[in-house]
Amino acid sequence: MTDPVQPRPPRPTSSGGGIFIAIGIVGGIIAGLATGEVTVAVLVGLGIGILAALLLWWRNR
């Protein structure tokens, strides 16, 4: 006799890391306006935000 297929338990929802990307961009704009290098600061803020989002994803994996 075969066993009935057991349903998988629901996976917990993961946290959203997009907020870190948004905060990084906004923080980069503010820092860039203060220093006069908006483009560079936005790119650095974007990089930091992406790194934080990736770390959150890796931690929840």
Side-chain angles (χ1 to χ4, degrees):
M1 189 156 239
T2 61
D3 292 328
V5 177
Q6 295 291 334
R8 291 183 179 178
R11 294 180 68 187
T13 58
S14 62
S15 301
I19 188 68
F20 295 118
I21 297 172
I23 289 172
I25 292 172
V26 172
I29 291 171
I30 293 170
L33 289 173
T35 61
E37 294 289 336
V38 178
T39 304
V40 173
V42 167
L43 291 175
V44 169
L46 177 63
I48 292 170
I50 290 173
L51 179 65
L54 286 173
L55 288 173
L56 179 66
W57 169 78
W58 180 68
R59 181 175 173 240
N60 288 333
R61 208 175 139 201

